[in-house]
Amino acid sequence: MIYIVIPCYNEQEVLQDSCRQLLGITETLGEEARLLFVDDGSSDQTWAVIRSLSEAHNEVLGLRLSHNVGHQRALWAGMEAAVELADAVISIDADLQDDIEVIPRMARDFREGADIVYGVRKGRREDSWFKRQTAQGFYRMMGAMGCQTVYNHADFRLLGKRALRALLSFPERNLFLRGLVPTLGFTERIEYYDRKPREAGTSKYPLTKMLSLALDGVTSFSVRPLRLISVTGLLFVLVALGACVWALVTYIESRSVPGWASLFISLWFVGGVLLCALGVTGEYISKIYTEVKRRPHYFLRERAGDWTHPI
Ligand code: UDP
Ligand code: MG
């Protein structure tokens, strides 16, 4: 049984068509499949459309959230609802920009033993220049900040039951699924596809939401920004030492205005010491921060032997 989870926020223009296309593809799967539409607090007719679709098709289910909680949490809600019912869950955007022909390939990979299948777009030719630059900058910055992501993979992926249970055991509140999924391990595969432009409606990811997602990604996966403070502090202290020498030389040669050397030195020195102190505090905060996340230490892949009567 495969569940396809589709988060929807004000998607009334595309839903009918997306549902029709998805039903078409699931018929060819060979497995039983369900479509689970999650209405993320839409203010348009999205929920009415989902309800009528679920009345018309037995395979269509709906879930309506109390208000708009954002793409990542809407996905989470859908996955939580599906985890005990499904053998695998595929997440895909409502606008079907991602190629649904990949779904049978994902299902095949799953049958062949993959726990996680990432849908990865081949390029970004159809994106606007701005979206392309910001998106690529985003992946690069994430990498530099120490958060591992799969390049050009968004949230089009298959998760087998085992991986899904592992993912749902993360207790954190700041969800950045693209960063969490690669930490699960298990058996991974990648399927490449060309991404299409949106068929109807407008993007529900304005720049503000993209920035907030990026910020969530960095701050929930990396303490590097805190460490950068320490490093900058140390650099400042080093500069202060150099400046000391220079200021003293100028002072001795009596080329400086009275009071300049002492002011100059203390400015850099105090700045450096302050940043170092902040950095040390940051180190402790980073420890607290990794502790409070209470992330699981490991995930079991499988077991062998008869475990009903352990020795
Ligand atoms: N979405 C959501 N809640 C939000 C914003 C977006 O559930 O607050 C859904 C949206 O309905 C779509 C998916 O997230 O199914 C991706 O959004 P969109 O296609 O607008 O993003 P883009 O492709 O422009 O990056
Ligand atoms: Mg889209």
Side-chain angles (χ1 to χ4, degrees), residues 220-276:
S220 50
F221 277 89
S222 167
V223 291
R224 219 168 266 189
L226 290 173
R227 181 136 307 154
L228 278 180
I229 299 179
S230 316
V231 174
T232 321
L234 278 178
L235 275 179
F236 265 55
V237 170
L238 284 182
V239 171
L241 290 179
C244 265
V245 176
W246 181 49
L248 281 178
V249 169
T250 327
Y251 178 72
I252 291 164
E253 289 177 350
S254 358
R255 280 195 283 122
S256 66
V257 189
W260 173 81
S262 51
L263 260 183
F264 185 75
I265 292 171
S266 50
L267 192 73
W268 278 88
F269 198 66
V270 170
V273 169
L274 271 178
L275 274 180
C276 275

Side-chain angles (χ1 to χ4, degrees), residues 117-234:
V117 187
Y118 299 104
V120 171
R121 52 199 294 194
K122 284 183 196 145
R124 289 185 172 269
R125 260 168 300 143
E126 65 295 334
D127 278 359
S128 71
W129 181 86
F130 182 72
K131 178 103 188 182
R132 193 162 54 229
Q133 296 302 320
T134 46
Q136 280 171 353
F138 170 69
Y139 286 105
R140 241 176 266 136
M141 180 200 57
M142 294 299 296
M145 283 295 165
C147 168
Q148 229 206 334
T149 49
V150 178
Y151 190 64
N152 272 345
H153 159 70
D155 284 299
F156 181 29
R157 72 175 79 82
L158 176 143
L159 290 171
K161 203 184 192 84
R162 204 157 56 168
L164 191 61
R165 280 209 179 118
L167 178 66
L168 292 174
S169 72
F170 281 83
E172 54 205 74
R173 298 286 152 254
N174 285 303
L175 288 182
F176 183 67
L177 296 174
R178 276 164 238 189
L180 284 179
V181 176
T183 66
L184 298 179
F186 300 112
T187 309
E188 301 180 343
R189 277 218 199 155
I190 288 182
E191 290 291 347
Y192 293 94
Y193 65 96
D194 285 312
R195 200 168 202 242
K196 292 172 284 199
R198 196 178 239 280
E199 267 167 27
T202 51
S203 172
K204 307 299 179 297
Y205 258 100
L207 186 62
T208 46
K209 273 194 180 165
M210 280 203 295
L211 283 178
S212 125
L213 183 72
L215 200 65
D216 261 358
V218 174
T219 52
S220 50
F221 277 89
S222 167
V223 291
R224 219 168 266 189
L226 290 173
R227 181 136 307 154
L228 278 180
I229 299 179
S230 316
V231 174
T232 321
L234 278 178

Side-chain angles (χ1 to χ4, degrees), residues 93 95 97 195 198:
D93 290 352
D95 54 7
Q97 284 185 274
R195 200 168 202 242
R198 196 178 239 280

